[in-house]
Amino acid sequence: MQLQLMMSSDFSIFRVGISFIMMCIFHKSTEDSVPELSPQKYFSTLQPGKASLAYFCQADSPSTSVLLEELNEAAKPLQDYGISVAKVNCVKEETSKYCGKEKDLMKAYLFRGNILLREFPTDTLFDVNAIVAHVLFALLFNEVKYITTLEDLQNIENALKGKANMVFSYVRAIGTPEHRAVMEAAFVYGTTYQFVLTTEMALLESIGSENIELAHLYFFHCNLVSDLTQQCRRTRMEQSLTTLNIHLFVKTMKAPLLTEVAEDPQQVSTIHLQLGLPLVFIVSQQATYEADRRTAEWVAWRLLGKAGVLLLLRDSLKVNIPQHTNVIFKRAEQEVPVEFLELHDVELIISHVENNNHIEETQEDEDNDMEDPDMGNSYIQDDEVAETVYRDRKRQLPLELTVELTEETFNATVMASDSIVLFYAGWHAVSMAFLQSYIDVAIKLKDTSTMLLTRINCADWSDICTKQNVSEFPIVKMYKKGENPVSYVGMLGTEGLLKFIQLNRISYPVNITLIQEAEKYLSGELYKDLLTYSSVSVLGLFSPTMTTAKEDFTEAGNYLKGCVITGIYSEEDVWILSNKYAATLPALLLARHKEGKIESIPLANTHVQDIVQIITNASLETFPEITVENLPTYLRLQKPLLILFSDGSINPQYRKAILTLMKQKHLDSLIPCWLNLKNTPVGRGILRAYFSPLPPLPLLVLVNLHSGGQVFSFPSNQSITEQNLVLWLKKLEAGLENHITILSAQEWKPPLPAYDFLSMMDAATAPHPSRKEPECTKETDVPENDKEQHEDKSAIRKEPIETLRIKHWNKSNWFKETEKSLKHDKEL
């Protein structure tokens, strides 16, 4: 897109010409959009203030046709910024230090005039987006601040308070399409706003961003802040980072926050309508003007970048509107009548706008698909994981944060220190996708962990992987001196692996010998740095003579290592804890740190598998947020789901009402939970399967997955209170409520066992008496001598290394009896 059409008032960064010059003699074509120059001619054309990028090739150098094609493609967008592109042929008759030798060919040089500004390895200029992004990034050095720490961001924010606003963006890597879009926006708006860029995921997490895997852009409203101790208000751009979306977003930030009008809403037009955004009119009257204005301003901040908000003065209005109308909604499309609404909750207004915006975006995407159904087929892969790896192939990972092992260094490394080893294959898409998560873990643990993170490519070192009994990719194993190697079998993601590593820093169960130490353990003070990864601490209480019970608990604690914190107390004075917490020995004390309560569970006549099941169920949250990762855990409980769908955090009053009913045992037969559509966007698809059309959020539904598939909806015209919920549940129990839909009983099977990802998720969380591997770990036999200490012999392998492949993760027949009842799980 030619940005010059939209930058008439903002374009003031560069008033000098820029040249983008490339030197190469290959693939001459009359169709090329750039001229070819000799070195002498090229340097004679350089002028003060003008910039150029020169790429030099020798006459006998290897072909660089791919790079040339990308440069030719980049010529047009660069011309939109006054940047010209040219080729320069290196010839023997003319010498230049930039022509160099063949080994020096992998660089490009950026000049302004005859001054060298920057040199690039040519592999960073891998496509059009990377070329445009790198050139603008180098030239906009003063307009775009690159930062790596939260302190850097805070310093810039403090410097801007009361003076100017800031555009802060995170991109996964330099040279991506998102990076190009940010640079193009900075080219236009760089003198109006301070642009700040980072590629540090940890920095994005520190400001509380959700879904950090994607590129983000925030507008910091620092110009309005006079108090240096006050934080700048932030507005996140929720659309994808494209040049057009950023331009539209910044335009809305420049528009007035709230406008007062006294005319027919159908005739009102603002910048928002021109940008394709709807309008929300808050209807006011003289008697309630101040309160209505405060409400309108609050709504305006919530909808900033999504809709325009206006305060409509009813008393001065010449047209009639319905008496009870307090909100009017006007779509961006012309000739569409306005909607007269009666909404008495700010959240209902927000939900109405966001739901309608989502429907419009979905329809627009479908229209685009219809216009060009084959668009992008040249690079879309059948396997979505392989496609993602392909798209991220140029992403530069900080591999130096992990140690690369070989057959010669493997034993020496894992014997010298406690180590985490990633076994992967460079040709395997899932391995390469998980490698990114593994590196993210390394970033989070940098300079804080005593565990050495390493990796070994089994495609190169098959013998060592065979000795370690690696039969599937990828797999992570933990090696500790004097202990069995432990394998991670959880979800292939950053958070699950990080939890596994952190919780394995200590041995379980922890042997506690003092009452004071036990109290610190139960309060969370003893291992407070681990509470982020385990919200429940389990303490087994036994008298010294209960040998069998202690052995069973110890085995269960070892079985659950890496999943939950377990400890054991078996001293003569155990009766003190027993009396204090009303526990009959043997017993478990469950400390729920988030809720601040401790409960006791008797362990009389319980075996290992029973203890594991008790602890596993107790580790579940009381009122959990449902995500893709934890859904199988709650489905396995075989109870109907009572789900509160919300577009963001839920109302504290709703939470209080549901928790109160849980405490009163009204919801024992259900699984109360909630789903944040911002964290789990697939929830919108679920709701569309339940409702047509989609009503405003929040929505409370009961889904009876395991018995009939009926879906019931709590009346949207009622508030979610204890009394209303109890009456609704009684009607459900009496059969007086009609279901809104019935889920299909069709079972959605994977095309191949290796694609049965739901079973993989079950395998990561489902304990069973017959199971021989822990919930989050699996252990191997203790080696007989030190020389074989780090050779994993948990199973005898007869197949050669060539048969290494992805295998079905679910290696045992756990929970076969529940297969029939899981028909509806796949539908959800």
Side-chain angles (χ1 to χ4, degrees), residues 10 114 312 348 358 544 615 654 764:
D10 302 288
N114 59 0
L312 181 64
L348 293 178
H358 178 77
I615 295 175
Y654 301 161

Side-chain angles (χ1 to χ4, degrees), residues 520-574:
K520 286 185 177 181
Y521 174 87
L522 292 171
S523 67
E525 185 179 350
L526 194 60
Y527 297 109
K528 58 183 177 181
D529 56 329
L530 297 180
L531 297 186
T532 304
Y533 309 99
S534 178
S535 59
V536 175
S537 295
V538 181
L539 182 63
L541 301 181
F542 307 92
S543 68
T545 59
M546 295 177 176
T547 305
T548 302
K550 287 191 293 183
E551 290 176 351
D552 287 346
F553 179 79
T554 300
E555 184 177 348
N558 188 56
Y559 185 91
L560 291 169
K561 65 185 343 183
C563 301
V564 67
I565 302 173
T566 58
I568 186 171
Y569 192 88
S570 179
E571 302 298 321
E572 294 290 347
D573 57 356
V574 68

Side-chain angles (χ1 to χ4, degrees), residues 808-825:
H808 196 295
W809 204 296
N810 194 0
K811 296 181 180 178
S812 61
N813 295 324
W814 309 331
F815 292 96
K816 270 192 173 181
E817 66 274 11
T818 65
E819 288 181 354
K820 293 182 180 179
S821 63
L822 289 177
K823 289 180 180 179
H824 300 299
D825 300 0

Side-chain angles (χ1 to χ4, degrees), residues 761-781:
M761 295 164 74
D762 288 342
T765 56
H768 191 272
S770 66
R771 185 176 176 187
K772 297 188 178 178
E773 296 172 355
E775 179 174 312
C776 294
T777 64
K778 55 183 178 185
E779 300 186 6
T780 60
D781 297 333

Side-chain angles (χ1 to χ4, degrees), residues 11 13-19 48-51 81-83 112 187:
F11 176 66
I13 295 178
F14 292 104
R15 299 185 182 277
V16 296
I18 303 173
S19 301
K50 291 188 177 182
Y81 300 103
I83 304 172
R112 177 175 281 122
F187 191 91

Side-chain angles (χ1 to χ4, degrees), residues 630-676:
N630 67 16
L631 177 60
T633 301
Y634 293 97
L635 290 179
R636 200 169 49 249
L637 299 179
Q638 302 288 297
K639 293 181 179 180
L641 298 176
L642 182 65
I643 313 177
L644 178 61
F645 289 87
S646 176
D647 199 9
S649 300
I650 57 177
N651 189 316
Q653 294 180 349
Y654 301 161
R655 178 186 292 274
K656 180 180 178 182
I658 292 175
L659 290 176
T660 300
L661 293 185
M662 294 179 69
K663 188 175 182 180
Q664 296 172 355
K665 306 296 182 181
H666 287 294
L667 305 179
D668 282 356
S669 60
L670 308 174
I671 301 176
C673 53
W674 67 288
L675 192 149
N676 186 343

Side-chain angles (χ1 to χ4, degrees), residues 317-416:
L317 201 59
K318 295 181 180 180
V319 296
N320 293 325
I321 60 175
Q323 181 179 357
H324 298 291
T325 296
N326 59 355
V327 176
I328 300 175
F329 183 73
K330 181 178 181 179
R331 300 180 184 275
E333 298 91 340
Q334 295 182 356
E335 308 303 329
V336 177
V338 298
E339 297 180 41
F340 298 98
L341 307 171
E342 184 179 359
L343 303 175
H344 297 287
D345 191 310
V346 170
E347 295 300 328
L348 293 178
I349 301 175
I350 306 300
S351 298
H352 186 83
V353 173
E354 293 181 344
N355 290 340
N356 279 278
N357 281 351
H358 178 77
I359 292 173
E360 292 171 7
E361 291 171 5
T362 302
Q363 291 173 344
E364 183 176 327
D365 292 341
E366 292 175 352
D367 293 341
N368 292 337
D369 292 341
M370 291 296 291
E371 289 175 8
D372 192 358
D374 297 324
M375 184 174 60
N377 285 348
S378 59
Y379 61 85
I380 295 298
Q381 307 284 328
D382 291 335
D383 187 327
E384 293 184 8
V385 177
E387 177 191 343
T388 302
V389 173
Y390 175 80
R391 290 184 184 277
D392 290 345
R393 67 194 185 281
K394 296 297 183 178
R395 178 183 178 185
Q396 298 295 319
L397 296 176
L399 297 176
E400 66 277 4
L401 295 178
T402 62
V403 178
E404 184 175 8
L405 301 179
T406 66
E407 191 169 12
E408 290 75 23
T409 62
F410 183 89
N411 284 331
T413 302
V414 298
M415 291 179 67

Side-chain angles (χ1 to χ4, degrees), residues 429-457:
V430 177
S431 288
M432 300 312 295
F434 182 59
L435 179 61
Q436 298 183 12
S437 297
Y438 190 70
I439 296 300
D440 289 341
V441 171
I443 293 173
K444 292 176 181 291
L445 295 179
K446 184 180 179 182
D447 301 328
T448 62
S449 177
T450 58
M451 199 75 65
L452 180 66
L453 268 69
T454 67
R455 54 189 167 82
I456 184 167
N457 189 343

